[in-house]
């Protein structure tokens, strides 16, 4: 076999640094590993406060913070066509060959994939979340996802449960959807050098304090566990609208000395919080794949988690205790975890995590998806419109109208600003890109 082709990849999402979360970490670590494999990676996201324009991160990762302000929950306002000129410019300037969008919540992701398909680029979509089918918000989001993925080259999900959910919601053929789990930076998340005392058992919670993350469950679980075990203490890291309920619970049950509220925890300080505990508690009501569980296990903590979504796929049975999202069932799971603590070896658990999860492995598997996407045949506008018509009696016709206008707008831009008038960015080749080897030619 010849040398593997090197791609020029544009990662697009509303969720990226300086914001912190699972999607942000996934994009960052995947991009860094792809850069080490010799590919060119550029990230596109919206402006964060005064952070606007072009920035460079470690490893030569280039980030475009386009001058769009977040509208709701870190998402930009949907414009349909307002982002086409700047997306087209970035694609031409950076000589992009693949567009990789992340997260169904992201407005910028949906618009970038739509415009990239119009311009004939191969597109890949990664879904990081699970959605329902009955409530109004999910019905709306599922129809948008069906529109976006009607023309996608390949899709990636972070768990098998997530794949089933995405296929059902979007109508994508299952053979076009790959399962590539998240990973953890085991060099960053490692146990404390000395094992902490078991005289006082510390249970750590690090999560956004919102309904979806099960903050209401914590309100009922924490007082019961504190009542059963006088030597148990809780550390709660995170912020959100449900923080008030947890503080009220702490006041009501006089647990100020036993429940420590840290507020929002920067990602760089998450390890220092984790290594101060024995058990990690995850109370999510829905989860495609929980990176927080990986980080806790890599630090040597035994995990207690709700049995929801893709969580049962994350860790071996001897590293996690699963429970139904019910207060009493979770209390029983914590009791079981406390009884298991004497058998837990944090260093051995860390070594197992190093073998199980690696961002380099995620990048290598993502390369295979890129290879397959680029082998997909190009299709003209009529062939693409026929797929949109299958999205619904009325929605299909509306989607076709949206794509026809997008196609005409793109051709208008080609007349007003020809591609030859857009200056291409020279490639910056970092020395010793990977084990002293120079990266090959980009595709």
């Amino acid at each position: 076999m010849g040398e593997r082709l090197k791609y020029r990849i544009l990662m697009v999402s509303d969720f990226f640094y300086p914001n912190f979360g699972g999607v942000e970490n996934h994009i960052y670590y995947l991009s860094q590993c792809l850069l080490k494999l010799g590919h060119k990676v550029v990230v596109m996201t919206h402006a964060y406060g005064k952070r606007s324009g072009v920035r460079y991160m470690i490893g030569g990762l280039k980030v475009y913070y386009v001058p769009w302000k977040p509208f709701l929950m870190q998402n930009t306002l949907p414009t349909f066509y307002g982002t086409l000129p700047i997306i087209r410019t970035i694609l031409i300037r950076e000589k992009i060959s693949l567009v990789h969008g992340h997260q169904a919540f992201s407005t910028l992701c949906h618009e970038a994939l739509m415009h990239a398909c119009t311009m004939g680029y191969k597109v890949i979509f990664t879904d990081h979340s699970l959605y329902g089918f009955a409530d109004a918000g999910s019905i709306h989001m599922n129809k948008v996802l069906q529109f976006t993925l009607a023309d996608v080259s390949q899709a990636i999900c972070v768990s098998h449960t997530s794949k089933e959910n995405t296929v059902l919601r979007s109508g994508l053929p299952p053979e076009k959807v790959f399962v590539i789990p998240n990973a953890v930076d085991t060099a960053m998340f490692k146990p404390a050098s000395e094992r902490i005392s078991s005289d006082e058992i510390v249970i750590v919670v690090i999560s956004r304090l919102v309904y979806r993350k099960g903050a209401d469950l914590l309100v009922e679980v924490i007082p019961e566990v504190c009542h059963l075990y006088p030597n148990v203490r809780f550390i709660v890291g995170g912020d959100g609208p449900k923080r008030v309920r947890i503080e009220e619970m702490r006041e009501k049950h006089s647990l100020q000395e036993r429940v420590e509220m840290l507020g929002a925890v920067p990602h760089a300080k998450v390890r220092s919080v984790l290594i101060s505990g024995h058990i990690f508690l995850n109370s999510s009501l829905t989860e495609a794949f929980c990176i927080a569980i990986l980080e806790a296990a890599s630090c040597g903590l035994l995990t207690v988690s709700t049995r929801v979504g893709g969580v049962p796929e994350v860790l071996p049975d001897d590293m996690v205790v699963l429970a139904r999202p019910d207060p009493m069932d979770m209390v029983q799971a914590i009791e079981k975890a406390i009884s298991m603590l004497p058998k837990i070896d944090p260093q051995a658990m860390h070594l197992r995590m190093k073998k199980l999860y690696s961002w380099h492995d995620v990048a290598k598997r993502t390369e295979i998806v890129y290879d397959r996407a680029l082998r997909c045949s190009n299709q003209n506008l009529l062939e693409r419109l026929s797929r949109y018509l299958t999205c619904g009696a009325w929605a299909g016709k509306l989607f076709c109208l949206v794509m026809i206008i997008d196609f005409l707008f793109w051709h208008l831009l080609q007349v007003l600003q020809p591609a030859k008038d857009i200056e291409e960015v020279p490639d910056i080749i970092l020395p010793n890109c990977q084990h002293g080897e120079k990266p090959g030619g980009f595709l």
Side-chain angles (χ1 to χ4, degrees):
M1 289 181 65
E3 186 180 358
R4 174 178 282 278
L5 291 171
K6 304 303 180 185
Y7 302 133
R8 302 170 182 271
I9 305 147
L10 178 66
M11 301 280 185
V12 186
S13 182
D14 279 303
F15 308 102
F16 194 64
Y17 295 149
N19 197 44
F20 288 99
V23 179
E24 292 85 344
N25 287 346
H26 181 101
I27 296 172
Y28 174 77
Y29 284 114
L30 174 60
S31 299
Q32 291 291 348
C33 289
L34 288 171
L35 285 168
K36 290 178 181 178
L37 291 172
H39 303 287
K40 177 177 179 177
V41 184
V42 179
V43 177
M44 177 182 170
T45 187
H46 64 70
Y48 280 89
K50 295 182 179 179
R51 185 175 298 213
S52 181
V54 179
R55 303 290 181 96
Y56 283 89
M57 302 184 76
I58 293 172
L61 178 61
K62 188 175 185 179
V63 185
Y64 281 88
Y65 290 95
V66 298
W68 262 262
K69 296 295 182 182
F71 168 66
L72 180 67
M73 295 174 63
Q74 292 301 332
N75 275 293
T76 49
L77 181 70
T79 63
F80 283 99
Y81 310 110
T83 52
L84 176 56
I86 194 166
I87 289 173
R88 174 177 175 263
T89 300
I90 292 173
L91 291 173
I92 295 172
R93 278 177 58 81
E94 301 292 343
K95 296 169 280 188
I96 297 297
S97 53
L98 284 162
V99 179
H100 190 166
H102 293 262
Q103 186 61 312
F105 278 126
S106 173
T107 304
L108 191 61
C109 164
H110 287 290
E111 293 189 4
L113 295 186
M114 178 182 78
H115 300 321
C117 288
T118 296
M119 290 182 276
Y121 289 89
K122 305 301 182 185
V123 299
I124 296 95
F125 172 76
T126 296
D127 201 354
H128 296 264
S129 300
L130 298 176
Y131 293 87
F133 298 89
D135 60 285
S138 295
I139 292 170
H140 168 73
M141 181 56 68
N142 293 345
K143 186 56 71 173
V144 171
L145 189 69
Q146 190 178 18
F147 166 56
T148 302
L149 299 192
D151 214 17
V152 77
S153 305
Q154 302 291 326
I156 298 172
C157 291
V158 293
S159 67
H160 292 280
T161 303
S162 175
K163 175 179 177 177
E164 292 176 11
N165 184 262
T166 300
V167 168
L168 287 172
R169 287 160 47 219
S170 66
L172 265 179
E175 60 270 15
K176 292 183 73 172
V177 185
F178 292 77
V179 176
I180 303 176
N182 286 311
V184 61
D185 185 358
T186 52
M188 178 179 180
F189 291 94
K190 52 189 177 183
S193 54
E194 295 183 7
R195 192 164 184 170
I196 59 176
S197 171
S198 297
D199 295 336
E200 182 185 55
I201 297 171
V202 180
I203 300 177
V204 178
V205 179
I206 299 181
S207 169
R208 292 193 301 275
L209 301 181
V210 296
Y211 171 77
R212 193 173 69 88
K213 292 294 183 179
D216 295 300
L217 278 175
L218 295 177
V219 172
E220 299 185 53
V221 169
I222 291 175
E224 186 64 26
V225 173
C226 289
H227 173 72
L228 292 172
Y229 294 92
N231 65 328
V232 167
R233 183 167 64 89
F234 283 84
I235 297 176
V236 181
D239 208 346
K242 294 290 184 179
R243 178 175 177 172
V244 175
R245 283 210 65 197
I246 297 177
E247 290 179 339
E248 288 174 348
M249 171 273 296
R250 189 172 65 158
E251 295 288 335
K252 178 181 177 181
H253 296 277
S254 301
L255 295 174
Q256 292 89 340
E257 299 298 321
R258 299 180 61 186
V259 180
E260 183 180 356
M261 303 291 293
L262 301 180
V265 180
H267 194 252
K269 296 183 179 179
V270 169
R271 176 190 174 263
S272 63
V273 177
L274 289 173
I275 62 174
S276 64
H278 302 84
I279 296 172
F280 180 78
L281 178 60
N282 172 55
S283 58
S284 292
L285 301 180
T286 175
E287 200 78 71
F289 188 103
C290 187
I291 293 183
I293 291 177
L294 296 186
E295 295 171 348
S298 185
C299 289
L301 277 71
L302 179 62
T303 298
V304 175
S305 175
T306 45
R307 189 192 297 271
V308 295
V311 170
E313 304 175 31
V314 177
L315 292 175
D317 292 340
D318 60 332
M319 296 171 70
V320 62
V321 181
L322 298 173
R324 288 180 286 107
D326 171 77
M328 293 313 299
D329 204 43
M330 291 193 67
V331 170
Q332 292 174 8
I334 292 172
E335 291 180 8
K336 181 180 178 181
I338 291 173
S339 68
M340 292 170 60
L341 281 178
K343 303 176 184 177
I344 299 298
D345 183 351
Q347 296 295 337
M349 190 179 289
H350 175 73
L351 292 175
R352 289 178 69 186
M353 291 302 296
K354 288 182 72 172
K355 294 178 181 178
L356 286 171
Y357 291 102
S358 160
W359 280 112
H360 182 72
D361 178 57
V362 171
K364 295 288 286 184
R365 293 167 72 174
T366 305
E367 272 188 321
I368 297 171
V369 180
Y370 291 162
D371 293 340
R372 185 160 175 172
L374 283 170
R375 288 199 297 269
C376 292
S377 59
N378 295 320
Q379 295 185 321
N380 59 38
L381 180 61
L382 291 177
E383 290 173 323
R384 293 171 56 222
L385 291 179
S386 65
R387 284 204 299 274
Y388 288 112
L389 281 173
T390 64
C391 293
W394 292 102
K397 296 179 177 63
L398 178 62
F399 295 161
C400 285
L401 178 62
V402 169
M403 294 309 299
I404 290 170
I405 295 173
D406 196 51
F407 185 80
L408 295 174
F409 188 21
W410 171 51
H411 277 279
L412 177 62
L413 287 174
Q414 286 183 306
V415 174
L416 298 177
Q417 188 184 27
K420 62 182 178 63
D421 292 344
I422 299 175
E423 183 182 5
E424 293 183 349
V425 177
D427 293 325
I428 300 175
I429 300 177
L430 298 177
N432 301 320
C433 169
Q434 182 188 7
H435 308 299
E437 298 178 2
K438 291 184 178 179
F442 293 113
L443 176 64

